[in-house]
Amino acid sequence: MQATHESMVLLKNDNDMLPLSKDIKRIAVIGPNADSLFAQLSNYEGIPSVTVTIVEGIRLTLPDATVTLDEACDGPFCPTSDDFDSAVQNAQSADVAVLVMGMDDTVEREGMDRRTGPCDGVDAADILLLPGCQDKLIQAIVDTGTPVVLVMINGGPVAINQADQTVPAILEAFYPGSLGGLAVADVLFGNYNPGGKLPFTVFKDTSDMSPIEDYQMIPDDTHTGRTYRYYTGDNVLYKFGYGLSYTTFKYSGLTISPPRSGCGEVRVEVDVTNTGDVAGDEVVQVYVTAPDQQGPSLSLQAFKRLHLHPGDMQRISLIFLLSNVAHN
């Protein structure tokens, strides 16, 4: 499960809602991907010998808790909100509601445009949004007043704009694989401290995105620029490289050693200290701005993941070639 643990990204954690207490007695697990191995595996997989869905992982982690399941939708397209009543009732009687939303390979996969589908007969406003009535389901559970955690199961970026405004804790699990249920439960209940970072930019909608057949990366009068390296607008929900932790880190003692030759190695050294109360991973990232208008406005040139216990400090060194900056 190491790959699943390390890839998950904590997108939001208002008032340190996560990790959840293991003393919780009643948990409502809700959503089309709550018990879907099909969603967890996506479309690049073999036949796993052992499988654990999200709801199963929560039940295994908290065997003494009452864990209810209500998928509320028949698959991720979730075309109607008519069937939400039982999910709402489960949430109302629970101490916490865990919403498991997102995609599977009927919605997004190689060789097929992403499909969102209508909600109660109304087409989605943007292809980056959650399919069907999933946003309505999230809001219906939030409106119960029960504390809510959102777990996202998906491959590409999803504009969860509404959830970002209303849900206090959001975990991006991507497609977590056959044992994804255990890995997600580990994060939710503090057995593992998430340290992953987003490998893409999550836009709020497609209004600033160039057509897919247009390969121009650099912005001009008619292009806003592609990827985090060139995009100059502000229509971003979560930035490339973003991710939270259950602990905090302090950077100090930064030194930069310039190359001896014009395009040689640049060495960046920095002290990283875990200033929080729990052990955790930090991914140190070095971004560089091109010295002229021909290169990217921002470019990731080096990164390193390190594990630190509370109070521990480690000095790390990262190296990149200056010649890569203008051509990356």
Side-chain angles (χ1 to χ4, degrees):
M1 291 193 298
Q2 180 180 355
T4 305
H5 277 148
E6 293 187 1
S7 66
M8 286 188 283
V9 181
L10 184 61
L11 296 176
K12 187 178 179 183
N13 195 23
D14 285 357
N15 300 315
D16 295 328
M17 181 176 177
L18 293 177
L20 298 170
S21 169
K22 294 179 182 177
D23 295 326
I24 289 176
K25 300 301 182 183
R26 297 169 300 172
I27 305 169
V29 184
I30 297 167
N33 286 342
D35 195 34
S36 174
L37 181 64
F38 178 71
Q40 288 177 209
L41 295 179
S42 185
N43 64 345
Y44 285 96
E45 86 286 339
I47 301 175
S49 58
V50 180
T51 62
V52 181
T53 65
I54 307 300
V55 67
E56 290 171 345
I58 292 173
R59 285 171 173 161
L60 288 169
T61 302
L62 267 66
D64 295 329
T66 298
V67 181
T68 62
L69 168 66
D70 196 314
E71 293 168 298
C73 306
D74 184 16
F77 285 110
C78 200
T80 176
S81 59
D82 292 342
D83 301 324
F84 291 175
D85 288 349
S86 63
V88 168
Q89 291 171 6
N90 283 342
Q92 288 172 332
S93 62
D95 299 316
V96 65
V98 178
L99 285 164
V100 192
M101 315 297 279
M103 315 290 192
D104 63 23
D105 83 343
T106 66
V107 180
E108 57 172 9
R109 67 173 182 263
E110 185 177 359
M112 180 188 79
D113 288 341
R114 181 183 287 182
R115 301 182 294 160
T116 52
C119 172
D120 294 330
V122 179
D123 289 336
D126 195 277
I127 199 171
L128 287 184
L129 298 175
L130 280 165
C133 291
Q134 287 194 44
D135 271 326
K136 272 193 176 182
L137 175 57
I138 293 172
Q139 193 58 49
I141 304 305
V142 168
D143 288 344
T144 67
T146 298
V148 174
V149 177
L150 172 61
V151 177
M152 288 294 298
I153 307 294
N154 55 280
V158 183
I160 49 172
N161 307 317
Q162 176 183 302
D164 184 68
Q165 295 296 316
T166 60
V167 177
I170 303 174
L171 176 67
E172 173 59 79
F174 300 103
Y175 291 125
S178 59
L179 299 180
L182 286 174
V184 167
D186 281 345
V187 173
L188 295 182
F189 296 100
N191 294 332
Y192 184 81
N193 182 357
K197 305 297 182 183
L198 281 178
F200 45 58
T201 301
V202 180
F203 289 91
K204 295 178 182 178
D205 54 55
T206 57
S207 61
D208 269 2
M209 299 176 67
S210 302
I212 192 65
E213 66 271 13
D214 185 341
Y215 292 95
Q216 179 164 327
M217 298 289 290
I218 301 174
D220 59 18
D221 292 341
T222 59
H223 296 77
T224 56
R226 282 193 181 279
T227 78
Y228 79 96
R229 295 178 299 165
Y230 292 98
Y231 179 70
T232 55
D234 58 2
N235 192 36
V236 172
L237 182 61
Y238 304 116
K239 293 183 178 181
F240 174 91
Y242 170 80
L244 304 175
S245 171
Y246 294 158
T247 190
T248 54
F249 298 94
K250 177 184 176 182
Y251 288 54
S252 60
L254 174 67
T255 61
I256 302 175
S257 302
R260 295 181 180 179
S261 61
C263 294
E265 291 184 349
V266 177
R267 181 183 297 271
V268 178
E269 294 184 295
V270 67
D271 296 327
V272 183
T273 304
N274 183 342
T275 56
D277 298 325
V278 296
D281 288 5
E282 173 68 334
V283 180
V284 182
Q285 305 170 71
V286 176
Y287 291 88
V288 178
T289 298
D292 53 52
Q293 298 301 314
Q294 300 304 312
S297 57
L298 197 68
S299 178
L300 178 65
Q301 291 294 324
F303 65 91
K304 184 174 184 179
R305 187 172 189 137
L306 61 154
H307 183 79
L308 293 173
H309 292 279
D312 283 358
M313 184 272 286
Q314 184 176 338
R315 187 164 184 82
I316 64 166
S317 178
L318 301 103
I319 297 173
F320 66 92
L321 290 175
L322 192 60
S323 58
N324 288 342
V325 175
H327 306 289
N328 195 339

